[in-house]
Amino acid sequence: QVQLVESGGELVQFGGSLRLSCTVSGSRIMLNGMNWYRQAPGNQRELVATITPYGMTRYADSVKGRFAISKSNAENTVYLQMNSLKPEDTAVYYCNRDPPWMTWGQGTQVTVSS
């Protein structure tokens, strides 16, 4: 059974940086594309960043140039480096496979103050 545990979210000031982590158990991420998603209150969950099994990356236009997705196959962990954070980045951040497993983690809250 797949389990995902996201961490690293916290309250940060406008322009600050955070690094999120997502540790996966029950499946090897090296075999899968992995995504970071986010969901702000009242909004649908949106795709933020993707990393393919071969390490190619894609980003939503809203975060391009500010966020960077990476992974450690050895640690079975996916990361999201977030720089130049804005209040509109405030959301709960989740990771999952591309396409998603049915299971989701609890997410990690990122709050950016203006």
Side-chain angles (χ1 to χ4, degrees):
Q1 184 177 355
V2 173
Q3 289 187 320
L4 306 106
V5 179
E6 299 92 350
S7 62
E10 61 181 68
L11 173 64
V12 64
Q13 289 189 335
F14 176 88
S17 298
L18 284 175
R19 188 193 195 204
L20 307 184
S21 300
C22 171
T23 301
V24 179
S25 59
S27 183
R28 301 296 299 172
I29 66 169
M30 67 181 297
L31 303 174
N32 298 292
M34 295 296 297
N35 293 335
W36 278 98
Y37 301 83
R38 67 186 180 187
Q39 187 168 18
N43 290 357
Q44 290 187 330
R45 191 170 293 172
E46 64 170 331
L47 177 62
V48 172
T50 297
I51 187 164
T52 71
Y54 306 104
M56 295 181 66
T57 58
R58 298 189 299 270
Y59 300 93
D61 287 344
S62 58
V63 306
K64 202 171 294 182
R66 300 188 297 120
F67 289 12
I69 187 171
S70 61
K71 63 175 180 172
S72 167
N73 290 331
E75 296 178 351
N76 223 37
T77 298
V78 186
Y79 302 98
L80 186 68
Q81 177 67 43
M82 306 189 297
N83 300 323
S84 302
L85 283 162
K86 305 175 181 180
E88 51 264 44
D89 296 318
T90 294
V92 179
Y93 284 72
Y94 303 87
C95 73
N96 211 318
R97 187 186 62 174
D98 180 25
W101 289 296
M102 290 186 66
T103 299
W104 290 81
Q106 82 288 349
T108 187
Q109 175 71 50
V110 172
T111 304
V112 185
S113 64
S114 57

